[in-house]
Structures are given as C-alpha cells and as structure tokens.
Amino acid sequence: MSNSSDAVPDPILVVESVVRRFDGLVAVSVDHLAVHRHTITALIGPNGAGKTTLFNVLTGFDRADAGSWKFDGVDVSGWPAYRLARQGMVRTFQLTKALAGLTVLDNMLLGASGQSGERIVVAPFRFRWRAEERATHERALALLDDFGLSARQRDLAATLSGGQRKLLEMARALMVEPKLVMLDEPMAGVNPALVQSLLHHVQRLRDEGRTVVFVEHDMDVVMSISDRVVCMAEGRVIADGTPEEVVDNQAVVDAYLGQRHARAR
Amino acid sequence: MNWTGILSDGVRAGLGINAAIYALAAVGLNVQFGYAGLWNFGQAGFLLVGGYGTAIAVSSWGLWLPWAVLVGIAASILLGLLLGVPTLRLRGDYLAIVTIAAAEILRIVVNSTKVQSVTGGPQGIGGFANWFFDHNPIARGRYGFGTITYDQRQLWVTLVTWVLVALASVLVALLVHSPWGRVVRAIREDEDAVRSLGKNVYSYKMQALLLGGAIGGVAGIMLVFDQQFIQPDLFQSAITFYAFAALILGGTARILGPILGAIAFWFLVEGADSFLGNAVDHNFLGVGHLVDPTQIGTFRFVLVGLVIMLLVIFRPQGFLGSRQEVMLGEQ
Ligand SMILES: Nc1ncnc2c1ncn2[C@@H]1O[C@H](COP(=O)(O)OP(=O)(O)OP(=O)(O)O)[C@@H](O)[C@H]1O
Ligand SMILES: [Mg+2]
C-alpha cells in the first residue's frame, strides 16, 4: 500500500455519530470521521473546537454521550483507556504528562507493554524478568537517542524543560509500539530546530507502517507533513480532505484560517 | 537528672515490641502511601481485622494458631477489597474518608454486645496465643545489655516481630525495584499518563492496597500476641497516625524509612516520658511548675509533636527521603 492519501481507503479508525456534551455545551458532535491506515492526519480548528475532547473520548479518557467508534475493525466504544492503549491506540496529552518523580529512563521503560516483571507474582524474582528488562532498556535508549534525550536519561523528568517533556512523552508513547499514535499539539513549545526533527519522526512513524493523528495550530507544519487534514469547529467536522482541499475550503477559512491566510495562497 | 536513664528508656522502647509493631504497620503504609500514593487513613482497621481474625479463628473455631494467623491475614486482605472496590476508581480523597470511617466502625462493631459471643465485646478475648508462647525457644531469664533488658517472653515476641519487619521489607524492596514498582511509583505521579501506556491502574492500586493492608494485618496479629489479649481499645485511630508519623519521620518511599522512623518515634515517646518524669521530680528548668506527674502521659506527645513539626519544617523528606521528590509539588 502506498503512503499517499489517494490510496484505496482502509480506515484504521472509524467514528460514527459521537457526541460529548458538558452541561448545555455540545463540545463534540462528529457524524462521521475515518482515519486511514498509514497516513498522517492533521486535526485543526479554533480553540475550543473540541479537538482535545474528541481525543479524550476516542482514547477512553472521557465518556461519549452517544455514538460508536471502531479501531482496527473492532468496536471499541466505551473501552477503558488502558485497554485501548494495549489494543494499539496510544495518545499524548496537550498538557504534558511527564512522570516528574521518575527518571527519564524509567518514564521510557514504563511504556513497554506486556512486561512480565509488571506482574506482582513475577516481580520479586529478578531472574525471571532481567533479560526482558535489558531488551526494553536497549529499545528505550535507542528512542531516547533519536529524540535527543539520551544525555538526560538518569535525570528526573521534573528537571526537563517544557519542550523536552513533550519529546519525552512522545518517545514514551512509542515504547508501547502503537498502531495509531494520537498526538495533541506535539510541537507546542518545542524550538524550531527540534520541530524539524520531530516532523521527521512523525513521517518516519508513518513510513514504519504506523498511523498518526495530530492536533496542530501551525499551518506550515500541517501543510508540510499531512496526508489528510480534518478541520473541526464548534464540535463538528467542517472539512475533511487533502491539505489543499481543506485550506481552500470557504468554511475553514471563515471559521479558522481567516482571510489573510486564504489570500496568501 | 538521670540522663543515662532517660537515654536507656528511649533505646529500650526504640528496639522494643511497640517499635517493631509500628514499623510493620508503617511498612504497609509505605507501600500504599509512600510508593502508590494511596491515602489509607484506616491502617488501625487492618490491624484490628488481622488481630480479631486470628483470635476468633482460635477461640470460636478452635483452629491451630498458624492457620488462624492465615485467617487473620486473609481477613485484612478482604477488608482491603471491600474498601478498595468502591473507592479506587474515584479521586484519592475518597479512599482516605472511607478507610478512616471503616476503622472507626469496625472498632465500634467488635465492641458491640450483639456480637459479644464472638468478639468478646468490650471484655475482649484472651488465651488464643498460647501456642506461640509455648514454642518460645528462649530459656527463662533476662537478656540485653546494661539497663536495657527484656525477659524471655518479651524477647521472643519482639524478635519474631523484627524478623517479620525484615521479611516484609525485603519483599517490598524486591517489588519496588522491579517493573511492578515502576508502574506503582508512576501511578503516584500521574494516573492518566500510566493509563495512556496501557496499564490497568485500578488493578495496581488494588494490589498495593491489599499488600499494605496484609502487612498491617500481620502488625495487628503481633500486637495481640504481645498483649495475649484482644479488645477494641487496642485499635484506636491513633495507631494509624503514629504509624504515619513514623513513616514521615523516617522518610516515605524508602525501604528503611518506616523502620528507622518507628524506632525514632518510640525512642522519642518513651524518652520524652522518662525525661518529663525526671524533670518533674527535679523541677528541671521549672518543668515541675508546668506539668504535674499525672499529665506526663499526655504531655510527652506535645514534645514528640514539637520534634516532628521541627523535622517537617527543616527536613520535610524525613531522615532518609529524597528532598527533590518531596519538593516536586512546588513546581
Ligand atoms: N471537562 C470539561 N468540562 C466542561 N467543559 C469542557 C471540559 N472540557 C472541555 N470543555 C469545553 O469543551 C469545548 C472544547 O474544548 P477542547 O479542549 O476539546 O477544545 P480544543 O479544540 O482542544 O481547543 P484548543 O485548541 O484550545 O486546545 C470548550 O468549549 C471547552 O470549554
Ligand atoms: Mg486542545
């Protein structure tokens, strides 16, 4: 299968009629949304459009008031967050959740799934999990290297800068070996040079056969790496298509991009 | 002033049975609160259930004592399940409220005359620990050094309890330095981050609650062995708070923290008691005008409280804790 958006549609995630209300406010009301396998999809939209809320609902961190969604052919609506993550759908948070009291390396090791040493009956017997731990360790170091954090592996995550925490959180999510990575504003607060390397990473994830959905406000970033763009406003999907289609869409210009951006194109 | 007398009173208590029992209770709290971040304010309830489970299994069912001990431990695990199932999915404060209430309710229930035929009500139960003392291998006599001595009975129960403290601590050390411990420590930091990585947070919190509760149950069993008697008043909420004081004194999330803390706590309590007794007798620094002899038992806790306050101000991480970890909340 090719990586481009005009490939035969093969959705890894299909959302149907998902609604989330807070008191009177309809934060999310998505009739239909499909995320295609092996693509990078950008989710854009003004502040308060419901992007994070949709992430929360789909990944089991919030409940939906109505609707259903399928991941990799399985109806996963209402599943708890940990089961969705095990199933291969892993997200990061807009407000970074680095585990401040753990070292950078421990943050990474925690990400690996299916560790036998995480079971209480096996844990006291080091010889039962030592080899596995060593392999996890190697994988973690390789990823930290990729993300430019290997020099900080022994430091508490609390000592990292905001941008470094973003990087750590993304690297940690990759330790889970997800099929679908959902990144909520991964570039926010990361310096321009690092943004380039992060973009490179995101593209590599796709090339490795994973699928990426990311929320982003920087349109240059969105245009440079996305295969598809979805725009939300007031809880609804108002546009869904190739990057070019979406930025030229009048509803998107009105609700989000503004006239200046439209003229510039 | 008899300073060596004060010191040896402190040391005797710091090595004695109470310190060992509180060390065990605090090791359990350390698993729950220190590593997993669970607010169990009802450790006294876990001690109670362990103690009563054992005593009742012997007195009512006629069980052999070693089996009865297992019944006591099972009872404290069951209590953990009952308290954990409804609360561990909720915010942390719910567990705190439910555990403290449960500990009080349990104490009132076992005191009730309605269940007197089983629990002995306010009169309690005695004679269930005979097997334990019949198997004391230590010959009759007094053992120790200088003025710090214990008779063969005290020495036996104290040694066994310290050995249990060591075993529990080794188990906890093995666990927290494993991938299991990594998950549990991460939960203390941020549950959602751990969930997002595919870990069943609820299950880990339950495991930590049950392990800490079971260790608390063993502490309760040794408490009633030492007394050779069980009654509701042995399980005041103060147990929980003294055990917390010991844990914070020694340093949370450190293997030796609860042990060192319990030793220091009982050294301070009995040392302060002895000091006040002396000070009143000799009117040291005018203490005789402030405190009369009947008030020493209460007043010593004022001194202990003062010491703990100073510690929390100047060394919030306790003797062994990591200042960096304690100060994370500041950021
Ligand atoms: N827990 C909550 N309780 C009440 N209202 C909420 C809650 N979470 C989100 N909302 C509301 O839902 C709407 C969507 O918020 P959401 O965080 O999903 O927006 P967003 O698209 O991620 O915005 P941003 O780009 O600023 O991150 C907002 O109006 C917000 O106020
Ligand atoms: Mg958001």
Side-chain angles (χ1 to χ4, degrees):
Chain A
M1 160 160 298
S2 99
N3 291 327
S4 64
S5 52
D6 51 26
V8 185
D10 173 21
I12 188 168
L13 179 68
V14 184
V15 178
E16 299 287 354
S17 320
V18 164
V19 178
R20 178 65 172 120
R21 290 185 206 90
F22 293 112
D23 299 320
L25 177 89
V26 180
V28 168
S29 172
V30 171
D31 293 334
H32 177 83
L33 179 65
V35 174
H36 295 176
R37 210 179 287 273
H38 311 310
T39 60
I40 297 174
T41 303
L43 182 57
I44 61 171
N47 295 125
K51 305 179 295 293
T52 298
T53 306
L54 179 63
F55 263 39
N56 288 346
V57 168
L58 296 180
T59 55
F61 282 87
D62 195 357
R63 59 179 180 80
D65 292 306
S68 66
W69 57 104
K70 270 188 176 172
F71 174 66
D72 213 8
V74 181
D75 185 339
V76 294
S77 350
W79 280 28
Y82 80 92
R83 280 185 66 197
L84 284 164
R86 283 187 193 171
Q87 196 77 5
M89 179 165 156
V90 174
R91 58 91 53 95
T92 63
F93 297 87
Q94 181 170 3
L95 299 172
T96 323
K97 291 185 183 294
L99 297 156
L102 268 60
T103 63
V104 169
L105 184 61
D106 273 349
N107 262 274
M108 294 296 288
L109 296 174
L110 182 71
S113 2
Q115 302 182 56
S116 51
E118 287 182 350
R119 288 169 41 216
I120 193 167
V121 288
V122 178
F125 310 105
R126 186 175 292 258
F127 66 93
R128 295 272 308 270
W129 48 263
R130 194 170 355 176
E132 193 182 287
E133 179 86 347
R134 206 172 296 131
T136 310
H137 205 120
E138 264 163 36
R139 206 152 62 78
L141 287 183
L143 268 171
L144 281 178
D145 220 24
D146 280 354
F147 281 77
L149 288 170
S150 45
R152 306 297 304 272
Q153 53 173 295
R154 305 261 159 236
D155 299 334
L156 288 186
T159 65
L160 296 183
S161 73
Q164 287 172 323
R165 289 183 199 199
K166 282 261 163 203
L167 295 173
L168 174 61
E169 199 186 10
M170 187 165 155
R172 187 178 69 192
L174 298 182
M175 286 296 290
V176 187
E177 304 208 295
K179 293 181 211 152
L180 172 63
V181 197
M182 304 188 46
L183 308 169
D184 199 347
E185 303 201 15
M187 323 288 175
V190 176
N191 76 52
L194 266 178
V195 166
Q196 284 313 310
S197 103
L198 262 183
L199 290 181
H200 191 74
H201 269 294
V202 171
Q203 280 171 315
R204 217 177 69 190
L205 289 177
R206 175 191 57 196
D207 300 342
E208 284 168 2
R210 300 184 209 277
T211 308
V212 181
V213 178
F214 74 114
V215 175
E216 184 52 62
H217 284 293
D218 183 333
M219 285 310 288
D220 292 334
V221 167
V222 170
M223 298 307 288
S224 67
I225 64 163
S226 316
D227 299 309
R228 296 188 72 80
V229 176
V230 174
C231 182
M232 283 180 77
E234 293 175 359
R236 298 178 178 282
V237 173
I238 59 167
D240 178 358
T242 65
E244 292 72 25
E245 284 164 12
V246 171
V247 281
D248 288 338
N249 184 307
Q250 193 56 44
V252 175
V253 171
D254 292 344
Y256 184 47
L257 298 176
Q259 286 307 318
R260 193 189 56 80
H261 196 281
R263 266 198 307 273
R265 290 193 56 81
Chain B
M1 291 291 285
N2 176 7
W3 291 106
T4 51
I6 294 170
L7 197 66
S8 73
D9 284 345
V11 172
R12 188 183 305 112
L15 300 177
I17 180 67
N18 277 336
I21 289 166
Y22 279 79
L24 211 44
V27 169
L29 282 180
N30 199 25
V31 173
Q32 296 164 337
F33 174 71
Y35 291 105
L38 300 176
W39 291 90
N40 171 16
F41 276 142
Q43 189 68 325
F46 287 92
L47 272 78
L48 181 151
V49 166
Y52 270 97
T54 304
I56 291 170
V58 173
S59 70
S60 295
W61 310 343
L63 239 54
W64 186 48
L65 189 66
W67 294 132
V69 165
L70 294 184
V71 171
I73 295 171
S76 37
I77 291 174
L78 192 68
L79 175 65
L81 274 173
L82 285 174
L83 301 184
V85 165
T87 56
L88 288 180
R89 285 186 207 280
L90 305 174
R91 240 176 30 218
D93 19 2
Y94 288 91
L95 179 67
I97 295 165
V98 167
T99 47
I100 194 168
E104 282 302 287
I105 291 168
L106 280 168
R107 201 163 53 82
I108 292 164
V109 166
V110 294
N111 201 27
S112 141
T113 46
K114 293 235 164 51
V115 292
Q116 193 154 12
S117 58
V118 182
T119 66
Q123 275 86 54
I125 309 169
F128 51 84
N130 293 340
W131 184 91
F132 178 74
F133 290 101
D134 290 345
H135 287 77
N136 183 355
I138 303 165
R140 188 176 265 282
R142 287 200 78 82
Y143 300 85
F145 40 91
T147 54
I148 302 164
T149 63
Y150 307 90
D151 67 24
Q152 77 283 353
R153 193 199 148 282
Q154 282 173 319
L155 188 65
W156 171 230
V157 67
T158 307
L159 275 179
V160 168
T161 310
W162 279 121
V163 167
L164 290 170
V165 170
L167 290 176
S169 299
V170 168
L171 177 65
V172 172
L174 288 172
L175 281 172
V176 299
H177 294 120
S178 76
W180 183 88
R182 189 160 60 217
V183 178
V184 166
R185 281 181 291 127
I187 288 172
R188 178 188 65 186
E189 300 287 323
D190 190 324
E191 290 182 16
D192 280 346
V194 181
R195 271 190 198 103
S196 77
L197 299 171
K199 319 291 175 192
N200 186 349
V201 167
Y202 176 72
S203 160
Y204 282 97
K205 291 206 289 191
M206 185 63 86
Q207 290 167 27
L209 181 68
L210 298 189
L211 176 64
I215 296 173
V218 175
I221 294 169
M222 293 319 294
L223 172 66
V224 298
F225 276 13
D226 174 52
Q227 304 283 324
Q228 289 189 273
F229 194 73
I230 189 165
Q231 68 170 118
D233 280 351
L234 288 175
F235 303 99
Q236 304 280 352
S237 289
I239 291 186
T240 304
F241 298 110
Y242 294 168
F244 259 110
L247 177 59
I248 287 161
L249 209 57
T252 55
R254 287 292 175 276
I255 295 300
L256 295 177
I259 302 176
L260 208 66
I263 292 173
F265 181 82
W266 283 100
F267 173 84
L268 284 173
V269 169
E270 293 303 328
D273 188 85
S274 183
F275 167 80
L276 285 170
N278 263 277
V280 170
D281 286 350
H282 297 85
N283 199 13
F284 179 69
L285 300 175
V287 171
H289 300 304
L290 267 173
V291 186
D292 77 65
T294 59
Q295 296 168 331
I296 290 174
T298 316
F299 202 79
R300 61 183 180 169
F301 283 108
V302 176
L303 274 189
V304 175
L306 205 65
V307 172
I308 293 177
M309 266 167 65
L310 289 174
L311 183 96
V312 169
I313 291 167
F314 293 107
R315 204 179 157 79
Q317 71 273 39
F319 300 137
L320 300 174
S322 141
R323 189 174 184 95
Q324 208 179 6
E325 267 179 34
V326 174
M327 292 297 172
L328 280 180
E330 302 272 289
Q331 294 171 350

